[in-house]
Amino acid sequence: EKPLYYDPIYVHHNEKIFLNYLHSKGYLDAEIITKTDLQKSSVRVTYYIKPKNLYKIISTNLQVSDQPIRTLLANHSSESLIKIGDPYVYQNFVNEQERIINLLSDNGYFEFNEQYVHFIADRSEGDHTIAVTTAVDIPDSKMAYHKTKIGRIVVDLTTQKDHTSHTTPLLTKVCEGLYFLVPSDRYPLDDIAAKIPLRPGDLYNKSKILETY
């Protein structure tokens, strides 16, 4: 970095950067001690970094009020990125949250997003461990929660030019339960439909929607 005018705010900002990094790697009681030597025309800042103890996961638990969702998560527990004995790593929790949301989204639970999945960490300073509870809230507690099914699937193969041109009649064709909006009969709808993994009546599946895209 090019030289900067000395400002204590920069020093404290760097301390926070160091601490945030250490915390994200499991050193939750790390300390940063800063020594500042003022000279005539310059300043020497020294950061003394003490990582101290690496915290590890001692236990994991599920907190889910909906029994079908709890069973689904339990059946896929071997895929969890939060494992007993591993060090605490912040990014693992971010990735685990995404895994759970994708799992729910692939099994018909359309409404779930990041606000419904969080973690409760009970830290023990005595033995430097963390007991983790994965909490999954229900989007609408006032109603019995249900899975979402796919209704109608429309594949629009037209262009803006087709819609503005009065000489081209637009056609609606049905193939394997899928509705195709096409400008002519020249499309191999059987081949296209065979490549689409979605069908009406299927449970909402985020992965299949992305695959189709």
Side-chain angles (χ1 to χ4, degrees), residues 31-91:
E31 288 184 357
I32 307 292
I33 298 175
T34 305
K35 180 181 178 183
T36 303
D37 294 324
L38 302 176
Q39 301 175 3
K40 289 184 178 181
S41 59
S42 64
V43 177
R44 178 185 295 275
V45 180
T46 305
Y47 298 95
Y48 296 92
I49 300 174
K50 296 182 179 180
K52 290 192 174 181
N53 301 292
L54 178 62
Y55 280 72
K56 294 186 177 182
I57 309 297
I58 192 174
S59 65
T60 58
N61 185 39
L62 274 176
Q63 181 177 299
V64 189
S65 60
D66 185 85
Q67 187 57 47
I69 293 179
R70 182 181 181 86
T71 300
L72 174 64
L73 296 179
N75 290 340
H76 291 264
S77 60
S78 61
E79 303 166 11
S80 174
L81 303 174
I82 309 300
K83 299 184 182 299
I84 295 175
D86 285 356
Y88 168 89
V89 178
Y90 172 77
Q91 189 60 43

Side-chain angles (χ1 to χ4, degrees), residues 154-158 171-196 199:
V154 180
V155 182
D156 189 345
L157 299 175
T158 63
L171 305 175
T172 300
K173 300 286 187 178
V174 180
C175 181
E176 295 189 22
L178 309 178
Y179 287 81
F180 290 88
L181 186 61
V182 294
S184 68
D185 288 324
R186 63 186 176 85
Y187 288 89
L189 299 185
D190 290 337
D191 292 340
I192 298 175
K195 291 176 168 44
I196 298 177
R199 291 293 181 274

Side-chain angles (χ1 to χ4, degrees), residues 14-33 47-55 87-91 123 130:
N14 283 345
E15 289 176 352
K16 291 178 64 175
I17 290 175
F18 290 136
L19 278 176
N20 287 340
Y21 176 77
L22 289 168
H23 290 169
S24 72
K25 297 299 182 181
Y27 297 96
L28 302 182
D29 53 3
E31 288 184 357
I32 307 292
I33 298 175
Y47 298 95
Y48 296 92
I49 300 174
K50 296 182 179 180
K52 290 192 174 181
N53 301 292
L54 178 62
Y55 280 72
Y88 168 89
V89 178
Y90 172 77
Q91 189 60 43
R123 187 174 77 171
I130 300 177

